Amino acid sequence: MGVRERIGYGAGALAVLLAASGCGSDPAPAGASAAPAAPAAASSAAAAAPSPSPAQDAVPEAAWAKWGLKPMPKAPAPPADRPIKLAKSGQVPVFSEVPTSDKVVFITLDDGAEKDPKFVQMLTELKVPITMFLTKDIVKSDYGYFKPLQALGNSIQNHTVSHPVMSKLTAAQQKSQICDDQAALTEQYGTAPYLFRPPYGDGANTPALNTSVQECGPRAVVLWRESMQIHDMQYQAADKKLKSGDIILAHFRGPSELKGETMTQMFGELLARIQEQGFAVARLDDYIAKPAG
């Protein structure tokens, strides 16, 4: 398919952490400690039938204009043979992009600190798919905020209990962070997360973290290739261009972290940057085959 091979990296300038939200406002690329595992799994993991994509065909031009945007390119139909196949047991893969020739990228949103009702309205109207990696201590004050977003078909995944630097924790502490978040999110949202993202991408390729992820239930560690700031993205690639299958990191952020910008303004800027490079936004879940059984 002409898909390039690239190493996924974690990110995060720890000197600029935000205590209120638990994430850096300007995460910078940092080399991973080891090469990531291949994002393919045992042949026994059968590809599931594609799930419905957002009905972007039904989004009128006026809806885009309302948010200051031009209509986005429409994502292709989900692949029948999903390129990332996850195994039911064993070491979990670490990936920061999806091997695909489709001209699509994937948006992920971390932590859950900003709970702007206008963002729910925006996604309801524009039907842009996202994947949410939620942190228990950040979202527990309002679990309900994320349920309308989930109802749109956006999955909720694991991002630890309190957003620590994982490599500084003992194995038991790492397991507690992942397992307790897994239990809380499963109880609140009715579906067990099958993906995990370590805060700042830290420790993603370490054996200790991989073991903890396995023991708690998720079947892959997901990193990213670009991170959205306020008006533009921070790229790991030297050419500062999106590539097919890139996973983009953004955060649930508000004016206090975005220099006065709102969550919807930041997200609109993100969509505009994606559109400028001719990419559509696809649903990450549509490109991943969960373990069979």
Side-chain angles (χ1 to χ4, degrees):
M1 294 186 294
V3 178
R4 78 258 180 238
E5 297 220 357
R6 294 183 285 142
I7 293 178
Y9 292 99
L14 300 185
V16 293
L17 303 187
L18 293 176
S21 60
C23 275
S25 61
D26 186 22
S33 58
S43 58
S44 61
S51 59
S53 288
Q56 290 183 334
D57 287 338
V59 178
E61 190 170 338
W64 296 101
K66 172 183 175 179
W67 299 99
L69 297 165
K70 296 178 181 179
M72 294 285 292
K74 295 177 179 61
D81 183 14
R82 302 187 183 191
I84 294 182
K85 299 175 175 63
L86 303 182
K88 192 172 183 179
S89 61
Q91 184 174 2
V92 303
V94 180
F95 60 90
S96 54
E97 68 276 324
V98 173
T100 181
S101 58
D102 292 346
K103 197 165 186 182
V104 298
V105 294
F106 307 94
I107 296 176
T108 62
L109 287 169
D110 278 13
D111 63 48
E114 179 70 9
K115 302 172 183 67
D116 185 348
K118 288 187 177 180
F119 181 65
V120 177
Q121 180 184 359
M122 185 184 199
L123 285 202
T124 301
E125 294 177 359
L126 300 184
K127 306 187 189 307
V128 175
I130 61 172
T131 302
M132 297 174 280
F133 288 84
L134 300 185
T135 301
K136 177 184 175 183
D137 283 356
I138 295 174
V139 303
K140 66 183 181 182
S141 63
D142 189 2
Y143 283 118
Y145 171 81
F146 304 94
K147 292 182 179 180
L149 294 172
Q150 183 190 29
L152 294 172
N154 302 308
S155 67
I156 290 173
Q157 308 296 346
N158 191 317
H159 196 42
T160 73
V161 169
S162 62
H163 209 280
V165 178
M166 296 296 278
S167 65
K168 294 186 177 181
L169 304 183
T170 66
Q173 289 171 328
Q174 288 189 9
K175 183 177 177 180
S176 177
Q177 282 284 333
I178 302 169
C179 286
D180 290 357
D181 196 48
Q182 187 82 356
L185 297 180
T186 301
E187 179 182 1
Q188 290 294 325
Y189 300 108
T191 303
Y194 71 101
L195 304 174
F196 171 73
R197 172 172 283 161
Y200 322 107
D202 180 73
N205 295 290
T206 62
L209 183 64
N210 203 285
T211 297
S212 293
V213 173
Q214 294 175 52
E215 292 175 343
C216 294
R219 292 309 308 155
V221 174
V222 180
L223 300 179
W224 59 90
R225 295 299 302 176
E226 293 82 25
S227 59
M228 183 61 188
Q229 306 305 304
I230 300 175
H231 300 290
D232 206 352
M233 284 181 283
Q234 186 174 74
Y235 295 84
Q236 293 177 16
D239 63 3
K240 298 187 182 303
K241 293 181 179 179
L242 293 170
K243 308 293 189 303
S244 292
D246 277 1
I247 295 171
I248 301 171
L249 166 68
H251 293 86
F252 285 91
R253 288 286 179 269
S256 62
E257 296 87 17
L258 299 176
K259 299 181 179 179
E261 297 284 316
T262 64
M263 175 81 183
T264 56
Q265 287 173 319
M266 178 275 291
F267 196 78
E269 293 277 6
L270 171 57
L271 295 182
R273 302 293 84 77
I274 294 170
Q275 183 190 55
E276 288 167 358
Q277 298 188 48
F279 286 86
V281 179
R283 190 182 305 282
L284 183 59
D285 301 76
D286 289 343
Y287 286 71
I288 301 174
K290 298 180 184 178

